[in-house]
Amino acid sequence: MSALISVKNLTRVFDVSKPWLNRVIERKPKAFLTAVSDVSFEVPENSVYALVGESGSGKSTIGKIIVGLVPPTSGSVEVNGVDLSASKNTADIARVRSDIQMIFQDPYASLNPRWRVRDIIAEPVTVLGGETEGLAERLLEQVGLSAADAHEYPHEFSGGQRQRLCIARALASEPKMIVCDEPTSALDVSVQAQVLNLMSDLREEFGLTYLFISHDLTVVQHVADMIGVLYLGSLVEEAPRDTLFSTPKHPYTRMLFDAAPRMDGFGREVDPPKGEIPDPINPPSGCTFHPRCPLAVDRCRTERPEMRRIGETRVSCHMAE
Ligand code: SF4
């Protein structure tokens, strides 16, 4: 399978300094937060790639960079071989951008409450000057709602139905890929399953590719082909789903597993992640996971582990074997 998205050495640094006068009075230097650090991965066409990690791991920032909401500080994102940061051809960039849509965690906040559903769904096509006659009605039926719902406003729908509206809008411009940022975490468990099943059906029907961003390994286990685990802005492990779940190699991945409730683990105690996530403005030296790692040795405190391949897994840990 060829790569639809190729992310290379992606880094994003935010300037989080206090205003100049405060810094002068308090004698403080500028402060920078590295939200994403040297992340590389590929998403093959018609596959589901999941990015997993606790909050602050940089997963949402990567999603926003890929859809063009946030520019990278360095590194590149190639979509179908077109490097979005290097290309000067605005027509090329606009075409590639319309191939990627995004759905967000809070389906209510991402729908304009003053617009009718028909206008919300058709908007991505309207801005491109395309034909929208009957489009919203058709897409509403494809996501399991009724064509008559096109006249309604978002507040007349439940949380799960609103996420279906967001999916319908994302499909309007016939994208190749949808970036899903925690698409089910605001929904009840039973509704989560319905939305995940719908996404899976749509993937088959439209040949879609998903980048699925989640903190929840149990959700990811149901949808992903490939999983990348992020910690403090860095990719620490990447493997096909079954390999990751059967033989996790990074201590952080194992910690996430112990914290996740499992369908087959009835009666098993859930072990919450240990330790605090370090301050990303002053990250630990060497391996940034070393203050929380049960396997840490002296080398881990001074030497940042390189990403290396062991079988089907890519992992950055000195002790991965
Ligand atoms: Fe733990 Fe060291 Fe591996 Fe980091 S490199 S995850 S501290 S064993």
Side-chain angles (χ1 to χ4, degrees):
M1 274 189 290
S2 59
L4 178 63
I5 300 277
S6 183
V7 172
K8 290 184 187 150
N9 308 110
L10 197 66
T11 296
R12 172 66 209 200
V13 180
F14 292 102
D15 184 345
V16 291
S17 311
K18 288 185 176 174
W20 174 79
L21 192 55
N22 294 53
R23 280 189 280 121
V24 170
I25 294 167
E26 295 169 23
R27 296 174 185 248
K28 289 259 170 73
K30 281 191 137 199
F32 296 95
L33 185 154
T34 304
V36 180
S37 174
D38 200 20
V39 169
S40 301
F41 63 92
E42 290 190 341
V43 184
E45 252 178 89
N46 197 15
S47 71
V48 181
Y49 189 104
L51 282 175
V52 190
E54 294 166 287
S55 68
S57 60
K59 53 194 191 304
S60 293
T61 306
I62 293 174
K64 286 178 187 155
I65 292 172
I66 288 175
V67 295
L69 291 174
V70 172
T73 305
S74 62
S76 65
V77 176
E78 283 182 15
V79 182
N80 262 337
V82 177
D83 181 346
L84 296 181
S85 43
S87 176
K88 300 273 184 285
N89 187 333
T90 46
D92 251 6
I93 292 175
R95 180 179 49 74
V96 168
R97 286 269 179 251
S98 76
D99 280 346
I100 308 176
Q101 294 293 323
M102 187 162 186
I103 54 177
F104 297 90
Q105 175 176 356
D106 183 347
Y108 196 63
S110 55
L111 297 171
N112 189 332
R114 291 161 206 248
W115 285 17
R116 288 187 193 276
V117 161
R118 172 183 291 117
D119 300 326
I120 291 173
I121 293 177
E123 188 197 9
V125 178
T126 309
V127 296
L128 294 171
E131 175 57 54
T132 60
E133 184 66 35
L135 175 68
E137 288 78 359
R138 204 167 56 247
L139 286 168
L140 281 166
E141 290 188 342
Q142 265 160 341
V143 299
L145 297 171
S146 155
D149 292 333
H151 300 284
E152 313 291 345
Y153 289 93
H155 71 264
E156 293 170 88
F157 295 84
S158 68
Q161 289 172 328
R162 285 199 286 257
Q163 198 56 291
R164 286 173 191 264
L165 296 179
C166 293
I167 294 170
R169 182 180 57 183
L171 291 172
S173 62
E174 299 181 9
K176 292 195 170 75
M177 177 176 190
I178 301 184
V179 176
C180 316
D181 189 357
E182 304 269 13
T184 58
S185 52
L187 307 176
D188 293 341
V189 175
S190 59
V191 182
Q192 280 187 16
Q194 291 167 12
V195 171
L196 291 174
N197 287 340
L198 170 67
M199 290 174 66
S200 167
D201 293 345
L202 294 172
R203 176 190 170 192
E204 302 260 309
E205 192 173 341
F206 295 101
L208 288 169
T209 305
Y210 291 125
L211 177 66
F212 197 95
I213 294 166
S214 180
H215 68 284
D216 189 343
L217 273 173
T218 45
V219 170
V220 161
Q221 186 174 15
H222 289 294
V223 296
D225 299 311
M226 192 74 153
I227 300 174
V229 180
L230 288 163
Y231 183 73
L232 220 61
S234 298
L235 194 65
V236 295
E237 181 164 5
E238 180 198 63
R241 175 191 54 194
D242 294 344
T243 307
L244 192 91
F245 276 83
S246 60
T247 50
K249 295 209 175 342
H250 197 282
Y252 177 60
T253 311
R254 281 181 230 140
M255 186 185 277
L256 288 181
F257 281 157
D258 291 341
R262 276 188 216 151
M263 299 298 279
D264 59 358
F266 190 69
R268 160 187 170 275
E269 293 221 348
V270 171
D271 192 5
K274 295 183 181 59
E276 295 285 310
I277 301 174
D279 178 2
I281 298 171
N282 292 303
S285 59
C287 172
T288 54
F289 188 58
H290 84 251
R292 303 172 72 186
C293 181
L295 302 182
V297 292
D298 284 349
R299 182 183 176 198
C300 304
R301 294 179 188 92
T302 54
E303 193 183 323
R304 183 175 169 149
E306 294 290 325
M307 187 63 110
R308 61 209 167 93
R309 186 169 284 282
I310 303 176
E312 291 184 299
T313 302
R314 287 198 301 142
V315 61
S316 68
C317 170
H318 297 310
M319 312 287 279
E321 280 86 6

